[in-house]
Amino acid sequence: MIGFSRAAEQLVCDGVPLSAIAEAEGTPVYVYSAAVLRERYRAIDRAFGSHSHRLHYALKANSTLALARTLQQLGSGADANSIWEIDLARKAGFSAADIVFTGVGKSPAELERAVPLGLKAINVESLGELARVEAIAARLGLTARVALRVNPDIDAKSHPHISTGLKINKFGIPLDDVRALFGTIGRRRSLKLVALHVHIGSQVTTTEPLARSAALVAALVAELRERHSRNAPLEYVDLGGGLGISYDGRAVPTVEEYATALVNAVAPTGLPIVIEPGRAIVGPAGALVARVIDLKPRNADSQFAVLDAGMAELMRPALYDAYHRVEPVSRRPGSEKQYELVGPICESADVVARDRLLPPLEVGDVVAIRDAGAYGSAMASNYNRHPLPAEVLVDDARWRVIRRRQTIDDMTAMES
Ligand SMILES: Cc1ncc(COP(=O)(O)O)c(C=O)c1O
């Protein structure tokens, strides 16, 4: 059995007891299963079957170098959200032609560096950005490969903070502007329109809005071909990321249902599909392992369990009220008790898990916060001067540190 499972009441990752990793590396520590990472990538890849497709792993979900490298070696492309994620992707071995550059606010300096790289596409978010890309390409005597990110005005029905497809969201180009661009872009010699792009949000847990936005992109492709046949042909459609995972055991679409929905919507165009999954690949591959550092009464029914990890190491519960399963690494005997699991940060928002029934906990116990592979380490901060935790990759029943724990000297190295 790959990933996180129980063996003799001990939580293990690919056969390695998490208690051993916590003992050796200290806590908090992120632990990843290479086997799950590979399996998730391959499952999504397989689900698209014979329809021509490419996965561009969304580095924003987790760009720790060893994980990015593992995905590159599996054949993934990369979706980078800043010039620094592009730098990271290059370090991880991705070639420029395997990187799409997304992001709602690409600065002039980022575009100056990105345009000459020869990326697979710059996913352009506004008419202004398109003009800025064009000006740089013209000055350098280059043709920039661009995709237009369409704002489809479709509700992903995810948390409002991670829904990006509505007109009121800052993302993408309004449909009318996209249509108007179709008439002129073929004459803009420094630009090559290679794709239409859509991404309506993250942690999307029904296929319907994803299928609807894919169908809308397909309809736009048809319109572009019909009305503007002079334009160079599109090479692919980029349908973004967003496939949700089950944090609490409730059903989410399978990768097959997801892929079928997208393929059916786009099949009439005959174009290859690019997707940008992040969470669905790396989320279930990681756990944040933490220690109970204090216990104290909360109310008649429950206790606070103060952990050495909280919102600095995993922002999602504080930011989105997100649910993560938490379980003791070694279960103590005795009846379950109710706990409010909180972090050590000086904010009442620093709650990791509310009102959980768990086997009895004692100070010093180690717990695992599950499904923390995506948007865990990537969103971690030094708030309260917490050092960034170590990260460990378990591969083939062996584990190694892929990022050492930050020190106070690391933290202050840029300060005077
Ligand atoms: C443009 C774009 N692509 C891909 C992703 C990855 O999304 P997810 O991790 O939900 O697959 C995001 C994140 O929201 C994004 O903004």
Side-chain angles (χ1 to χ4, degrees), residues 180-193 224 228 230-232:
L181 272 175
F182 287 169
T184 59
I185 200 156
R187 294 193 292 275
R188 296 169 76 166
R189 294 285 155 232
S190 305
L191 298 174
K192 179 163 193 247
L193 178 62
L224 175 66
H228 306 286
R230 284 177 290 103
N231 287 346

Side-chain angles (χ1 to χ4, degrees), residues 21 34-35 44 63 106 160 194 253 262 275 297 316 330 339 365 408 412:
I21 296 174
I44 298 173
S63 59
K106 305 179 192 76
V194 295
L262 299 192
I275 52 165
R316 300 189 66 260
S330 311
Y339 294 98
D365 284 359
I408 185 67
T412 53

Side-chain angles (χ1 to χ4, degrees), residues 58 60 79 102 149 197 199 202-203 241-243 276-279 375:
K60 64 178 70 69
D79 160 25
T102 63
R149 178 167 178 180
H197 174 227
H199 171 78
S202 194
Q203 186 54 13
L243 177 61
E276 303 167 350
R279 186 190 310 270
Y375 307 102

Side-chain angles (χ1 to χ4, degrees), residues 36 67 114 146 158 199 211 232 241 271 292 317 323 354 371 374 386-387 397 412:
V36 173
L67 304 184
V146 294
S158 182
H199 171 78
L271 289 177
V292 178
Y323 182 99
R354 291 186 192 280
D371 301 310
H386 270 229
T412 53

